[in-house]
Amino acid sequence: MSQTAVLKVAMSCQGFLGAVNRILGKMEGVVSYYINIDEQKVTIEGNVQPEAVF
């Protein structure tokens, strides 16, 4: 079952953005994700628990 989770994540630089990209790109169950550094939000779609992302 696919679900969408929106997480508030404090991102202070492009380096952190790159780290989030690498982790989510390798995470099992993630179908797609969108990172909005301006709003400090990460939207994840897939079969993954939000707690596992943190």
Side-chain angles (χ1 to χ4, degrees), residues 4-39:
T4 300
V6 179
L7 306 172
K8 183 86 170 161
V9 180
M11 294 177 275
S12 57
C13 67
Q14 292 295 324
F16 189 82
L17 180 73
V20 172
N21 266 318
R22 283 190 301 278
I23 292 166
L24 291 177
K26 295 177 183 178
M27 193 168 203
E28 188 175 324
V30 173
V31 174
S32 65
Y33 60 92
Y34 174 72
I35 301 169
N36 185 325
I37 196 165
D38 293 329
E39 293 184 16

